[in-house]
Amino acid sequence: MSGSWVDRRVVVTGLGLVSPLGSDLNAFWDRLISGDCGIRSITHFDTSDYACKIAGEALEFDPTPAFPSPKESRRTDRFTQFAVHAGYLALKDSGMDLDQLDRDRIGAFIGSGIGGLSTTEAQHKVLLNKGPSRVSPFMIPMLILNMGSGLFSIYQGLKGPNVATCSACATSSHALGEAWRTIKMGDADAIFAGGSEAAIVPLGISGFASMRALSLRNDDPKTSSRPFDKDRDGFVMGEGGAVLVLEELEHAKKRGAKIYCEIAGYGNTADASHLTAPSPEGEGAARCMKMALRSAGLSPEELDYINAHGTSTPQGDICETKAIKSVFGDRAKKLAVSSTKGAVGHMLGAAGSVEMLICAKAIETQVAPPTINYTTPDPECDLDYVPNEAREMPIKVALSNSFGFGGHNASVIARKFEG
């Protein structure tokens, strides 16, 4: 370790994901910027009796390569499989040889907003139908939401800081921000940071539908999620996970790592307002973005691109638009602001890490991904949402927003690496 915490720079050196657009990083990016959509009719269970019948399922997924054995993978919930696999892919992408590094200084911050909902659902049925003696001894380790982070560290022998964040849809952005802070403070040299979610199960779909939070555009799944569009009617659930390798700059340079971008700033605030709705006028989100800019030492004029939380909910998209205008003033109309949830759905606790991965690729390729399904402008959402087609443009600084039930806000800023 060298230098004070303010001198320690943190870069992104590995990316891994599982998503409704696949798990191959380059193929995912190509599909995303081409305007492809991974939302379809649900296949995980029979939706005949359900109001919502659509979601972004990760159908092209095989967990076994990331686990010591197929038996080990079967003893984990799907959300843990996503987390472990995304971490495994990020490790491969980073080129790290863990045997040549100090595992005591490498950690994992991988969270989940809900955890093992399918395990909870299945084992509750066992309890009711067969009695308490038949409940699986693996039930608790399968459903607790820290197991993605815990098992990944076990499989890879990582003995550094290990945390599982849980802040609803802000979960994995908080994981990234707190990992950044931990490396800055000198308590680790590298951290695998992100989140995962697997809530496309009967209980998850029925619960969100009962809140009237989900889109019911069942007859046309690919256009069901339409962030910032006037005709949006709710979010569409997605599943999967993403893990980014955050690494102290000198540590990365020493091993000759590829650097995607630098993590420059982080904001973390609370609305302290409402159980599920954003604070009026997006006040909490605005404070969060201002905090991220301040910690990065950047002015609003230096930002180029925002990957918005943009869930496709009527009130949420308006509040985020107002927050952006509050923070950036005249600059707001000149920013490229897109939501990629139209392509993959809302991945809940995994959303922030997937979207920061997208920011990293946007900076690498100098391409802003589109907001698909944007057909009817909303007078209350009047920014440049990169409608329907990706845009080649200079992207030096990008910001990713995540906002969760309970009033949790997180903003993470990445910038193009300049040595």
Side-chain angles (χ1 to χ4, degrees), residues 6-264:
V6 292
D7 297 325
R8 287 171 63 84
R9 297 168 65 184
V10 181
V11 294
V12 175
T13 58
L15 304 172
L17 88 160
V18 178
S19 83
L21 291 179
S23 301
D24 179 273
L25 181 62
N26 291 326
F28 164 82
W29 182 248
D30 289 344
R31 292 179 70 181
L32 184 74
I33 63 172
S34 71
D36 200 355
C37 179
I39 295 169
R40 54 182 65 83
S41 297
I42 292 171
T43 64
H44 288 347
F45 62 93
D46 182 358
T47 61
S48 299
D49 297 331
Y50 293 78
C52 177
K53 306 175 187 296
I54 52 178
E57 298 174 324
L59 297 178
E60 305 168 21
F61 173 64
D62 175 13
T64 53
F67 284 80
S69 70
K71 184 177 181 180
E72 282 283 323
S73 69
R74 289 194 298 269
R75 289 178 173 175
T76 60
D77 189 272
R78 187 169 171 84
F79 92 94
T80 300
Q81 294 175 0
F82 289 154
V84 170
H85 194 72
Y88 166 79
L89 293 175
L91 174 60
K92 288 178 63 178
D93 186 55
S94 74
M96 270 189 182
D97 181 353
L98 293 174
D99 290 334
Q100 302 299 315
L101 302 173
D102 183 357
R103 283 181 164 93
D104 289 358
R105 294 191 55 78
I106 302 176
F109 285 28
I110 307 173
S112 178
I114 295 177
L117 195 58
S118 63
T119 296
T120 301
E121 191 175 74
Q123 291 301 309
H124 186 239
K125 289 179 182 177
V126 172
L127 173 65
L128 294 179
N129 296 330
K130 298 182 179 180
S133 66
R134 299 297 296 277
V135 171
S136 171
F138 295 104
M139 182 192 77
I140 298 300
M142 286 177 71
L143 68 86
I144 51 180
L145 60 83
N146 67 303
M147 272 301 158
S149 195
L151 275 183
F152 182 72
S153 70
I154 290 169
Y155 294 154
Q156 303 299 337
L158 308 181
K159 297 183 179 180
N162 191 288
V163 172
T165 52
C166 179
S167 46
C169 304
T171 289
S172 53
S173 286
H174 281 137
L176 290 162
E178 297 305 325
W180 171 78
R181 198 195 306 271
T182 299
I183 296 171
K184 291 279 283 184
M185 292 295 291
D187 292 330
D189 293 326
I191 295 177
F192 290 77
S196 68
E197 206 75 86
I200 304 174
V201 299
L203 199 58
I205 293 294
S206 58
F208 279 111
S210 293
M211 294 176 63
R212 299 184 179 179
L214 297 180
S215 171
L216 302 182
R217 197 174 271 106
N218 297 312
D219 57 338
D220 193 3
K222 289 189 180 297
T223 67
S224 55
S225 177
R226 42 182 64 221
F228 303 108
D229 185 87
K230 185 179 179 180
D231 297 326
R232 64 193 182 277
D233 70 330
F235 77 82
V236 178
M237 195 183 297
E239 66 174 0
V243 171
L244 288 72
V245 179
L246 272 55
E247 192 169 356
E248 192 273 328
L249 176 58
E250 296 306 318
H251 188 270
K253 282 183 173 180
K254 186 176 180 180
R255 65 179 190 84
K258 172 183 176 178
I259 295 175
Y260 284 97
C261 60
E262 180 175 1
I263 300 296

